[in-house]
Every structure is written in C-alpha cells, then in structure tokens.
Amino acid sequence: MKRRDFLKTGATAFSAAAMGAAKIPAHAPEPIDRAAVVARHNLLFTKSDVLNTLTVGNGNFAFGVDITGAQTFQAHYNAGIGLSTMSHWGWHNQKNPHGYSNAAYPRTLLKNAAGKEVPYLLVGATPELQAQANFLYALTTRINLGRIGLALARTNGKPAALSDLASIRQTLDLWTGIIDSEFSLDGHKAHVQTCCHGMVDQVAMRIVSPLLKTGQLKVQLAFPYASNAWNGNGADWTQPGAFETHMTRSGGRRANFFCKLDATTYRAALAWRGAGSLSQDGPHAFTLDGSNTSTLEFVCAFAPRPPPANLPDFAESRAASAAMWRGFWTTGGAIDLSESKDARWHELERRIILSRYLTRINCCGTLPPQETGLTCNSWFGKFHLEMHWWHAAHFALWGHVPLLERSLPFYQRILPHARVRAQAEGCRGARWPKSCGPSGSQAPQDIEATLLWQQPHQLMYAQLCYQAQPNARTLRRFAERVFQTADFMASFVCRSNATGRYQLGPPAYDAAEMYGDFDHQWNLNFELAYWRWALGMAQSWRKRLGLPPKPEWEHIRSNLPPLTVKNGLYVAAQTAPHTFTKPGRAASHPCMVAPLGMLDGGMVDRPTMARTLAKIMKVWNWGSTWGWDYPLLAMTAGRLGQGPQAIDILLMDESKNTYLPNGHNFQESILPVYLPGNGGLLYAVALMAAGWPGAPSHNAPGFPQDGSWTVRHEGLLPAL
C-alpha cells in the first residue's frame, strides 16, 4: 500500500571543537549577531489557535503545550496539532491474540531482472492476509507518556472553557527554549513558564497566580493507554481498565509513578517546591493543589527506568534549557539575511530559524524521527528511513554533525537484520528497511518491501560526517555500513544480455511512489544516479582506508544505463517515459531533478535538466506535492545557477509549502506537521549559501546575484 493511500485511510551543548576538523568559511565582514537573528523570530501569540501548538524538548523527549503553557485543552487541540509528551524510548506493542508475526507471514515471489524468483514481504491477495498485514504494520506505536494540564475553574465552580480565557499573551524565547504564557480567568491573571531540561527527559513549570489560592487553578497529571490510531497525540483515554498506574510517595513533595501497558513499562516522577498537596482522582489521574500559595513550581520526569532520587528543580531545569539552546545557537552555522533588498528575506529567515528550532527538538534523537517527530504521531509513530536524510542531513552542513550522528548507531544495531533480509532476497551485504519502529522489523507492505532510495543514504550520512570530521575514527565508524550497503547495491542490479548494461530492478518502487506496478519498473532515473554516486563513494572509502578498489563496483558503476530522456526532458524511469505526456503523471515528488540538486549531477546533462525544471514549474500538480519537494527543486535551481528561481520555489504560495506561525510545515488536517520539509529547507539554504563541489567561487552561489539578496553566513559546510 502506498504511504499516501495509507494516510488517507486512516542534549547537551557542543563546543566549537566538537563540530569537527573541517575548515568552515565565513562570509560576513563582522561576526553575525546570532542572538539578534534568533530574537527577531521569537514567537508571540495573543489568541489561541489549535495549529499553533508550541513544543519544548531536548532531542530525545518533547512536550507540547497549548495557549496556557500546559496540556490543558487537549481535546480541543486534537483538531489541530495534538498535545503530546513523547520520547524515543516510549513504545507499545498492541495485544496480538492471533500471534501474527513477520516471520510466519507468507512471502510473495517476484522475478528480478535475471528472471530469478525472489521472496518479498508483500500485502497478500486475500482479505485475511491484508488484515494480517495491516495489523503487523500497526503493531508497534509510539506512546504519549502522560498529560500535564491545568485544571481551571470559573468563580462559580464550573470548568473553564478555552473561550473563557482573556488577555492571552504567549511567547517562546528561541534562545533559551522557554515558553511564557499569560492569561486571565474571571479577572485573575495567571503566568506560566514552561521548559524542558536540556539533558533530562523532564518538564518544568512555574505558575504564579491568585487562582492557585482560590483553588481555581490546579495541576493535573494523567497517564493514558497507548493509542493504536494512525495519527493523533498517541493517547487513548477510553480504556482505563486496560493498564496500570501505581503511585508511591517519597517525602512530602515527591511522588513516583510506575506505568504498565501490557508488556511496556515506564516511570515518571513529580516533585514540587513549597506548599502543595497531591491527591489521586482516579486509577491514572492525580491533582497537585497549590491552594496555600500563589506560586507553584514543579518538575515531572519520564524515564524507561526509575528516575534519580533527586530531580533538578525548576530553576536548574530552566538553566539547563538555556544552556542547551545557547550552545546550539552559538556554535555551528548561522545566516543573516537582514541586509537584503528583497522584502521576502524576513519570511525566509523566519522559516530557517524556526526550522532549526523544530529539528533540534524533533530530529536529532537516538532513533531516526517519525515524519511528525516528537510533536504528534503519524504512521503509528514509525519512522520512514528514506525520510531520515530530509530530517537530519542538514545538521552536518550547519556545523552540528554530532546531532546527525546521534541517530546513526540505530543502523549498526539493526545491521544483522538488514544482512539477513539481503541474503533472503538472494543478495549480498545489507538491505535497509523503509518503514519501521525501534526493532528495525518491517511489516508486510508493498512499498516497504520494494522501495530502493533509502539504501544509498548510508553513504551520504558517512560522507557528510567525514566532511565535517575527516579522520580515521570517522572512517572506522562507518566502514562496515558503507561496504555492506555497497555490496547489496552491487548484487541487486542484474546485467542485461541485450544491452550489456546493468539494470536496476525489478522490483523497484519509485521514490515518488507513482508507479505501483513495482514488479514491472526498472531503471528509475533518480535511483540510478544515486546508485552510481554511492558506489563511487564506497570506492573512495576503500581508498581512504588503504584498501584496493573493488573491480565489481567500478564495473557496475561504469555500465549503468544513462538517465532516460523523453522529448528532451528527464522522466521518472525507463519504464515510465510518460511523466509529462500522460495525464496525472506530473505529480507527487518531482524526483527526476534529484540527480542534480540532492546529488552532484554526475550523470546529468545540464541543459536537459534546465528544460526539465522549467517544464515542472509549468505543468506540475502542486496540490499532490509534499513539503520536501520545494527544497528539492530549489537545490536543482541553485546548482543550475538560477538563484531567483530557487528563492521563488522555496517561498511558493502552495498549500504543501505552508509554514505555520510556529514554523511547522503544514500538509493537511491529518498531517499538520511534516518535518522533512523543515529539514529539507535547511539543507537547501545551506547549499545555496555555502555552495557545493564545483560551485562558482562567489558568495552564496545558489542565491540571486543581482544585488537583491545579501547573504551573510558563517560556519556552514558545502553540500556534497
């Protein structure tokens, strides 16, 4: 099942030395005032909007808040961007009464280019197998760890509605990661400060209000069951009897919680200062009452194991948040566009700064991120490994390669599974999954089984890290994954007796996911170019390690077919030449431009690519695109020397290129958050500013050169 069809169904601060040994040029006569650049994009909201959820987090843990600075009106915000408390360690497996498993699921035999039958884990033809496949796909879900909200009551004792709040003023200080929320209820003001500790998975709040003394404002902590929905905030509040929550007290101002959801267990701890009493309201709900004071400070930590006996208090948490963000903003790359004459500079810079904030929270944890990060769920919380590049590759160009590296050990951990899969399919090396949870296990789905373009990403990650840290340690760390991936790629292609060239596929699901007849598709243009680039890069790694080149890899690389051209334009594939001639095919991801844009153009005729880009801009179905398509096209325009076109593309007024006031790349109501768009924007801007191998030597070669844009930047590395 195509993912878009399925959609419709359903840490620490880093020193400059840690940024690596690469020389990073600056293109600013004076150092950029980074604090000023960030501060002019601080957020200010004076009314509630369910799409303007704000998030605090540290990369492995995140907490989303509504206009009160807490998760007070959770049900209301479910209509926009849901309010979640999520982590990279919090997962749940559905009850599996039938004992379904991938191992027992029957394989489907597909013929490869050599005519050999190869087993694949596809959706079955019968309704029973389809139901089993869908269950296995949804088996593992990311969970909402708990809700921390305000219990607000009117003077008459009735619960306050969102519409009862007045004098709303909420700010997010991007430099410190601290949210300040102010509102009044029945004429009484409330001030809430919210932050996340920079290294501990912990929320911290400080509440100042006379509503505490009157009992009209209390704090609620509640634990939900895990939702098995495709999207949403990850919480199921309808099954209180399906799980357990146990509270134990530790001193007068500390409570510990043990949560057991079937085979999943995790802990939480609540600690507060000063007056305050904790009571239990139900099997999974607790209230912190500060009726003897007008100020209440508390922290709530979540962990897979018991939290430490002493939790950092609010002041320590606020300081740790500020330290993490200060370290992030003051190291690595920076761009200042404020001297530009083009009035659009502010909007582009806004998108850059907010995308940096959001990807730092959502896309640099110990696992690859889901497409909605730690903000809310999509595809059951699973991550799509073809999207990992779009989420996180930019960290390397922006001088924060450790943030990219944090998630890469996942691939080393699942390498044995990837090798077993490759072997089962008659190949050498390792074949990486497409969509999975933390186990790396891939459910029966057609696109998961036959998508190809996530394979060469391993070479990209390795080279991005090596560019920033060109040393023997980097080479050793990635060598096994580089060579295992290249071995799979070399053994997957088959040589055609008719042409003498190697054929990529079948089966081959294209990156644009336009051609569901994957068993009759081959020589996809983007994938061919990526295969050639990756095999060449693998040879470079052998040379750096003092190893001889592999003749097989070079023979395959030199004998891949050329990219398919039809009517003077690059098309999707040799087997799909009608991209621009058949109705409905000029849609989805325009991946035929990726060989010169995301890649270096090693197989590309530049005039042909320029014509292809111009054709796309005239005829493409923009409503069918996704957020990362705009930076993809902008990178191609930039490498072609079409700076004005690149800017126009990045700022196109199209629904899938919407960036909400909070910075999120909105796609549609069921997918209001789409972080590959944010990460792609950052990669494209870095490419346009810092250049690429063979780029013109002048500053910002991918930006307009007519004087309308002044691009001051420092600490950026060129794209590959």
Side-chain angles (χ1 to χ4, degrees):
M1 182 184 294
K2 296 182 184 180
R3 66 198 201 98
R4 57 184 43 80
D5 290 342
F6 195 81
L7 184 152
K8 290 176 178 166
T9 66
T12 58
F14 297 102
S15 67
M19 293 301 105
K23 293 182 179 179
I24 303 176
H27 290 275
E30 298 292 337
I32 293 173
D33 186 345
R34 295 176 177 225
V37 173
V38 172
R40 61 176 167 251
H41 303 291
N42 283 340
L43 299 182
L44 169 62
F45 299 140
T46 56
K47 62 180 180 180
S48 64
D49 184 339
V50 297
L51 286 174
N52 280 334
T53 295
L54 295 181
T55 308
V56 293
N58 58 27
N60 273 318
F61 170 84
F63 180 78
V65 306
D66 60 23
I67 203 67
T68 68
Q71 297 169 339
T72 306
F73 298 102
Q74 191 175 70
H76 195 83
Y77 274 68
N78 283 341
I81 298 175
L83 306 175
S84 302
T85 307
M86 288 188 169
S87 70
H88 277 300
W89 48 261
W91 295 83
H92 174 259
N93 282 347
Q94 289 189 61
K95 294 177 181 177
N96 189 359
H98 300 290
Y100 293 146
S101 70
N102 291 338
Y105 192 91
R107 269 55 177 173
T108 301
L109 296 177
L110 299 177
K111 288 185 178 180
N112 66 12
K116 180 182 178 181
E117 290 189 328
V118 178
Y120 283 90
L121 198 59
L122 305 181
V123 176
T126 67
E128 291 79 9
L129 283 178
Q130 291 171 9
Q132 185 175 338
N134 288 336
F135 178 88
L136 288 169
Y137 189 87
L139 175 63
T140 303
T141 60
R142 194 184 304 261
I143 60 177
N144 188 329
L145 300 170
R147 170 181 172 264
I148 305 173
L150 306 182
L152 297 172
R154 303 295 305 274
T155 305
N156 60 13
K158 293 183 178 180
L162 182 56
S163 58
D164 293 326
L165 304 187
S167 304
I168 290 172
R169 190 178 190 276
Q170 184 176 61
T171 63
L172 168 58
D173 183 350
L174 297 165
W175 192 260
T176 62
I178 296 171
I179 299 172
D180 266 281
S181 307
E182 298 178 1
F183 60 88
S184 64
L185 177 64
D186 290 341
H188 298 294
K189 292 183 178 180
H191 178 205
V192 181
Q193 280 194 325
T194 312
C195 64
C196 174
H197 195 285
M199 293 183 289
V200 180
D201 295 349
Q202 174 177 290
V203 181
M205 289 190 197
R206 184 175 192 266
I207 305 170
V208 179
S209 176
L211 294 168
L212 286 165
K213 277 191 173 182
T214 63
Q216 291 175 257
L217 191 161
K218 300 177 183 179
V219 176
Q220 290 183 329
L221 171 63
F223 300 96
Y225 190 58
S227 170
N228 62 357
W230 177 87
N231 66 345
N233 68 6
D236 181 353
W237 300 99
T238 67
Q239 300 188 64
F243 66 111
E244 305 171 26
T245 301
H246 301 283
M247 178 182 71
T248 56
R249 300 299 293 264
S250 177
R253 300 182 181 90
R254 164 77 179 249
N256 299 313
F257 304 90
F258 174 76
C259 301
K260 187 175 188 301
L261 289 71
D262 306 312
T264 297
T265 61
Y266 67 94
R267 269 78 169 183
L270 180 71
W272 60 96
R273 296 189 63 180
S277 60
L278 184 69
S279 60
Q280 185 164 357
D281 303 325
H284 313 289
F286 307 85
T287 296
L288 179 60
D289 186 346
S291 57
N292 293 322
T293 182
S294 59
T295 301
L296 179 64
E297 293 181 0
F298 69 90
V299 298
C300 188
F302 298 85
R305 294 169 293 278
N310 296 309
L311 297 176
D313 63 15
F314 173 79
E316 293 169 315
S317 299
R318 181 172 56 186
S321 173
M324 185 196 84
W325 284 108
R326 183 172 59 251
F328 175 72
W329 294 118
T330 59
T331 59
I335 286 182
D336 182 347
L337 302 176
S338 62
E339 296 177 13
S340 300
K341 297 175 183 176
D342 190 316
R344 296 174 295 173
W345 75 264
H346 190 275
E347 174 58 17
L348 181 57
E349 192 181 88
R350 181 189 78 88
R351 295 185 184 196
I352 292 168
I353 294 298
L354 293 179
S355 292
R356 294 193 68 198
Y357 178 85
L358 292 172
T359 55
R360 175 61 182 86
I361 287 175
N362 290 283
C363 302
C364 65
T366 54
L367 289 175
Q370 65 170 319
E371 298 193 17
T372 47
L374 298 174
T375 299
C376 55
N377 268 352
S378 56
W379 287 276
F380 306 100
K382 292 174 178 286
F383 27 86
H384 294 99
L385 297 183
E386 82 279 17
M387 288 291 101
H388 192 185
W389 189 95
W390 292 95
H391 283 279
H394 69 87
F395 287 123
L397 302 192
W398 284 81
H400 286 289
V401 72
L403 297 182
L404 167 61
E405 289 181 314
R406 287 171 71 177
S407 58
L408 298 183
F410 166 76
Y411 295 101
Q412 192 67 31
R413 178 167 62 79
I414 69 167
L415 178 59
H417 301 293
R419 295 185 67 178
V420 167
R421 179 185 174 190
Q423 199 170 44
E425 295 175 5
C427 295
R428 302 188 308 276
R431 180 168 187 169
W432 305 102
K434 179 253 190 258
S435 175
C436 60
S439 71
S441 179
Q442 194 162 299
Q445 293 289 334
D446 296 355
I447 188 169
E448 273 74 8
T450 58
L451 196 73
L452 294 175
W453 68 292
Q454 73 272 29
Q455 307 304 324
H457 283 354
Q458 297 299 318
L459 284 298
M460 272 276 197
Y461 303 143
Q463 183 60 19
L464 285 166
C465 293
Y466 184 78
Q467 176 179 241
Q469 299 173 340
N471 54 48
R473 182 174 176 271
T474 302
L475 291 172
R476 290 193 300 269
R477 190 163 69 250
F478 288 96
E480 185 177 21
R481 275 172 273 161
V482 164
F483 298 149
Q484 290 290 321
T485 301
D487 267 341
F488 166 75
M489 295 172 68
S491 59
F492 180 80
V493 297
C494 297
R495 194 167 189 181
S496 167
N497 292 328
T499 66
R501 293 185 178 271
Y502 288 91
Q503 182 171 305
L504 181 59
Y509 220 123
D510 61 299
E513 302 177 18
M514 284 290 294
Y515 298 95
D517 55 338
F518 48 86
D519 49 340
H520 296 94
Q521 293 292 326
W522 55 84
N523 292 341
L524 317 169
N525 272 354
F526 170 33
E527 287 80 349
L528 269 177
Y530 210 177
W531 237 248
R532 181 183 182 275
W533 180 90
L535 289 174
M537 187 55 64
Q539 295 284 42
S540 296
W541 275 65
R542 290 187 65 84
K543 181 178 180 180
R544 292 168 187 159
L545 287 164
L547 301 172
K550 276 205 168 186
E552 180 199 19
W553 294 356
E554 189 55 39
H555 188 269
I556 291 170
R557 184 174 180 272
S558 301
N559 287 279
L560 289 171
L563 304 184
T564 301
V565 176
K566 183 72 172 180
N567 299 325
L569 304 171
Y570 287 118
V571 291
Q574 180 183 335
T575 46
H578 43 265
T579 302
F580 298 104
T581 56
K582 186 174 181 179
R585 293 305 188 187
S588 187
H589 307 301
C591 292
M592 61 287 304
V593 304
L596 180 66
M598 182 179 170
L599 304 180
D600 61 6
M603 297 179 74
V604 168
D605 173 71
R606 295 174 72 88
T608 302
M609 184 59 77
R611 290 192 299 270
T612 304
L613 177 61
K615 184 71 170 179
I616 289 170
M617 300 310 297
K618 289 180 180 178
V619 306
W620 210 256
N621 177 358
W622 299 108
S624 69
T625 57
W626 293 65
W628 59 269
D629 296 331
Y630 299 88
L632 174 70
L633 291 162
M635 287 189 280
T636 301
R639 293 209 200 218
L640 286 170
Q642 300 178 12
Q645 180 86 297
I647 293 293
D648 289 345
I649 292 169
L650 286 180
L651 297 173
M652 282 180 70
D653 185 15
E654 296 290 342
S655 61
K656 297 298 182 65
N657 198 36
T658 298
Y659 283 74
L660 298 171
N662 60 11
H664 276 300
N665 180 205
F666 178 88
Q667 301 296 286
E668 54 186 311
S669 60
I670 62 171
L671 192 61
V673 171
Y674 192 64
L675 289 155
N678 299 94
L681 170 80
L682 293 174
Y683 195 96
V685 168
L687 177 149
M688 293 163 60
W692 55 90
S697 59
H698 55 73
N699 180 43
F703 277 80
Q705 300 299 310
D706 59 2
S708 59
W709 286 81
T710 299
V711 183
R712 302 175 66 238
H713 64 90
E714 59 192 25
L716 296 177
L717 285 171
L720 300 183

